[in-house]
Amino acid sequence: MRYVVAIAEHGSFTRAAEACFVVQSALSHQVARLEQELGVRLFHRTSRQVRLSAAGQAFLPIARQCLDAADRARAEVAAATGEVRGPLSIGVIPTVAAVDVPKALRTFRERYPQVQVRLTSGNSDTHVQQVADGSLDLAFLGLPDGWEITGVAGRQLARDQHRAVMAPEHPLAGRSRLTLARIAGETFVDFPAGTTGRLQSDGAFADAGLRREVSFETTDMLLMGRLLRAGLAVALLASTFVEQLPGLVAVPVTRAPVRTEHVVWSPFGPSPAAAAFLEQVGVAV
């Protein structure tokens, strides 16, 4: 099962074998035996690519769950003897602000050196699905106020209102407060359309009966900051996160979107390593 997951993730028998530290012939032989036992082909192979068959697509999520359960069993046994160990996969949104994740990870790794931490950045709706299917242990999310989260367990960490963010030289930078109508005519930089980060702002303008132009779409906060400092656009961002973007001005906006931050974990309960990290950041399970 580990070989199948590795091939699916790497799209190559060669790279999968390297990742699993086995020779390719051994990996291919084991996958062939598994396919023979199941009576189906898990992969379509050509000279240029390897892709999952329909049977392979059905097999993959269950295989991941089985492997996660095996890892969880080993971690639970170790935890019973007082040792926290095993893998810990964490997803974060680029604008997480309720928890200083890098700082928490530094302390966590010093305290639990036997835990293998993997951190990945992405959008909230994807992270929820990854926690639900077991590919992530924890995820830190930012969602529109009132957004319903299903398929996972979790806690709300913070609730925050957006502000208009712009370069100090922008004509609106000196205002004490703005309205959505006043900034609707500006050029915006925002997250890609359809993501939960974007839906927060799109929903606020739609509710106010306003339209705006989003000329720049990115999930790269470094690039977003550079576009804002260059005076090319304005943005609506959570006020607590704006503090992490130096050299910009944040102005309160009437009826601005509201974001809630959450941390979520498996509905079956957090793994020992995940529970230890939640305790590290002050979240009671």
Side-chain angles (χ1 to χ4, degrees):
M1 286 191 289
R2 290 195 189 279
Y3 293 165
V4 170
V5 171
I7 295 166
E9 291 178 346
H10 292 279
S12 163
F13 275 68
T14 301
R15 291 194 294 271
E18 293 172 351
C20 295
F21 302 102
V22 296
V23 296
Q24 182 177 334
S25 59
L27 179 141
S28 298
H29 179 67
Q30 291 297 326
V31 172
R33 286 184 59 187
L34 177 60
E35 289 178 323
Q36 183 178 9
E37 180 180 343
L38 295 173
V40 295
R41 296 292 296 272
L42 297 175
F43 296 98
H44 294 304
R45 307 163 176 86
T46 69
S47 59
R48 295 190 175 185
Q49 67 175 354
V50 176
R51 60 185 178 86
L52 286 165
S53 66
Q57 292 174 356
F59 180 82
L60 184 63
I62 306 303
R64 282 185 169 137
Q65 291 175 13
C66 291
L67 294 172
D68 290 340
D71 291 337
R72 176 71 175 267
R74 285 192 290 269
E76 293 284 359
V77 169
T81 64
E83 181 182 13
V84 177
R85 60 184 305 173
L88 174 61
S89 299
I90 302 174
V92 297
I93 57 170
T95 59
V96 62
V99 173
D100 188 337
V101 175
K103 182 178 179 181
L105 280 175
R106 183 181 62 186
T107 303
F108 182 81
R109 293 186 70 175
E110 291 172 352
R111 186 175 181 184
Y112 303 106
Q114 297 300 314
V115 176
Q116 298 85 46
V117 178
R118 180 174 65 88
L119 182 72
T120 183
S121 177
N123 61 65
S124 294
D125 43 358
T126 300
H127 283 334
V128 170
Q129 182 58 48
Q130 290 171 323
V131 171
D133 67 23
S135 54
L136 287 178
D137 296 302
L138 296 172
F140 291 88
L141 317 173
L143 299 168
D145 195 28
W147 187 274
E148 184 179 359
I149 308 174
T150 60
V152 296
R155 296 283 186 276
Q156 181 174 313
L157 300 175
R159 186 175 184 272
D160 185 28
Q161 194 165 37
H162 284 48
R163 294 191 176 191
V165 185
M166 62 201 74
E169 300 79 16
H170 193 283
L172 300 179
R175 300 293 185 92
S176 60
R177 179 169 287 274
L178 293 166
T179 64
L180 291 173
R182 182 65 184 83
I183 62 175
E186 298 293 325
T187 299
F188 277 83
V189 57
D190 210 329
F191 301 104
T195 62
T196 49
R198 173 71 171 270
L199 289 173
Q200 299 165 34
S201 297
D202 284 351
F205 281 100
D207 290 345
L210 299 168
R211 297 182 64 183
R212 61 168 181 156
E213 178 184 354
V214 179
S215 297
F216 307 101
E217 294 184 339
T218 182
T219 59
D220 185 335
M221 299 312 299
L222 179 61
L223 175 59
M224 185 179 290
R226 292 174 64 187
L227 291 169
L228 291 169
R229 293 186 194 95
L232 294 172
V234 300
L236 279 173
L237 296 171
S239 64
T240 50
F241 176 74
V242 175
E243 300 171 1
Q244 302 178 34
L245 296 174
L248 294 170
V249 174
V251 181
V253 177
T254 301
R255 297 180 63 188
V258 174
R259 180 182 80 164
T260 54
E261 287 194 53
H262 305 256
V263 60
V264 296
W265 56 86
S266 169
F268 304 107
S271 67
F277 189 78
L278 289 170
E279 181 183 8
Q280 174 79 42
V281 298
V283 175
V285 179

